[in-house]
Amino acid sequence: MAEPTRRQPDDPASARLWGGRFRGDLDPTIAAFTTSLPFDRRLYRADILGSIAHATMLGRCGIVPADDAAAMVRGLREILSEIDAGLLAIEGAEDIHTFVEATLRRRIGDAASRLHTARSRNDQVATDLRYYLKTEIVKVVGRVVALEQVLLALAEGHPSVIVPGYTHLQRAQPVLLAHHLLAYLWMLHRDAGRLRDVFARTDALPLGAAALAGTSYPIDRELVASLLGFAGVIPNSLDAVADRDFAVEFTAAVAVLMAHLSRLAAEIVLWSTTEFGFVDLADSISTGSSIMPQKKNPDAAELIRGKASRVTGDLVTLLSMLRGLPLAYNSDMQEDKEAVFDAVDTAHASLQAMGLVLHGIRFNGERIAAHLRGGLMGATELADALATRGMPFREAHELVGRIVLYAQDRGRELWELTPDEYRQFNALLADGAELATPAGAVANKRSAGGTAPARVAEQLSAARTAVTETLSWLAALPAPPVERETAAAEPGPAPGR
Ligand code: ARG
């Protein structure tokens, strides 16, 4: 007589997919320790759509009866819409894959028992995560490009404001505010590009690898790939279930994105200090102090900076989780999801917050102009002029250094020295005052990518083109057939099969 198995497959309280060879119950502490449902529930949509595509393929390939395939697809669609509508709670199973299959079995009975034919949770989870990430990458890129548009509008709205440019956080050379803002736009544009690259490598189907070796059933992986909107199939079954480089790459791309947001946030924090006063932040994104009534803190910007470190941590989690693992699937890999989800959530929240911070930012022209005084930032212009007029640059640097001392000792700006004073240093510099004004210095930076107004105008138009290009990429992404209720996902013999 057969021993009773540990769990009946339709035991709703703790559905398992592997009861047969076990005699005793799983220790509840270990069950709680090993479950991934509390976090992989987030993959429900990807998991159900993946199962719909798989069941469709099983039916079309004649691996399961067409009626069973049709029943599975109908049942799965029903489950998906109920979860979407909040009518079905995801609970009582080891993981999301188990939950979906057990729920389907409760609803349609035996036909559901054929769903896991030619499939393993190993290729299933890899598929789910890739499917999910593709969707999230598109959303993150959408938010990145939206933020680029905010920066673009700010740059366009301040075409002639000049700010001090810094090196070592010491005033260095004046630049256009638009130029400074566009620097961040280009960073974000590369972030979008990195995410698009990750998308391309994530866009390959693991399903069909089964546990690790492939399967003996006559499956059609290309069909599943096309139903799920994957560009192709992963050519090696071990690689398909064992690697998570796409998750590492995604998190790395988000870590770089967060580093960029964090630098912008750090500048906003600095600029909003009384000492700088370059910007006023909206009340709606600032917070107060519980003890100091006068305080207005740039909390949102500080937290964007702070949250960047979480994603660095997520990246380290993924890399160190993967690096010691022998092929193929190992349970360690279950730890990938929380790191990836955290990177996703942090990216969305931070991009959204930065958008609001920038929407409400007001540049304080007077304070900025006041900071153009005192830094003697026109000095490089004077040295460049001397060199252009024949003096070796080293000599010119030395001479202007003495002019700087002269002006500093008298508490005057380089643009306030008279032509006679300049002539005393060198006759070539009679027009020194003019050259050394912030506007003069900025106007001279005509090299490609420089801060001269004409160059910045060119940059603005290049930036508009870059934004448009990303928007077209987003608009051109086709929805996977399986997402469309009525389309290709109906089981039944495929034409010519
Ligand atoms: N919960 C698992 C994960 O997140 C799913 C795959 C389980 N596979 C297995 N053979 N235990 O990775």
Side-chain angles (χ1 to χ4, degrees), residues 18 34-37 39-40 43 94-98 120-126 211 244 329-337:
W18 39 259
T34 53
T35 181
S36 53
L37 194 64
F39 48 88
D40 70 12
L43 297 175
E94 178 186 337
D95 56 26
I96 187 63
H97 328 294
T98 312
S120 153
R121 280 183 295 166
N122 298 350
D123 56 347
Q124 206 182 342
V125 73
R244 294 290 185 270
Y329 180 82
N330 298 269
S331 286
D332 313 45
M333 292 160 75
Q334 181 165 296
E335 290 290 307
D336 60 1
K337 276 166 281 301

